[in-house]
Amino acid sequence: MSTGAVVMMIVAMVVVWGGLLAAVLKLRGHPDDPGPEPEPELGRLPEDG
């Protein structure tokens, strides 16, 4: 492989792994909390329309 190809490969790897690391650090600092799940309404059918 040429020098330019190796440099481009390293740059691409840094971008991909850096983005993954940034996403993991962001989620560790601010976890994604979906909130409480709504209670299912038993015995009711969905309304049409």
Side-chain angles (χ1 to χ4, degrees):
M1 287 182 17
S2 67
T3 305
V6 172
V7 170
M8 290 294 289
M9 182 181 68
I10 292 172
V11 168
M13 289 170 62
V14 167
V15 168
V16 170
W17 286 104
L20 178 64
L21 179 64
V24 167
L25 291 177
K26 182 177 186 294
L27 283 174
R28 284 183 71 193
H30 305 285
D32 189 19
D33 185 18
E37 293 187 20
E39 294 288 327
E41 295 184 25
L42 299 176
R44 294 193 63 195
L45 295 176
E47 298 178 15
D48 293 333

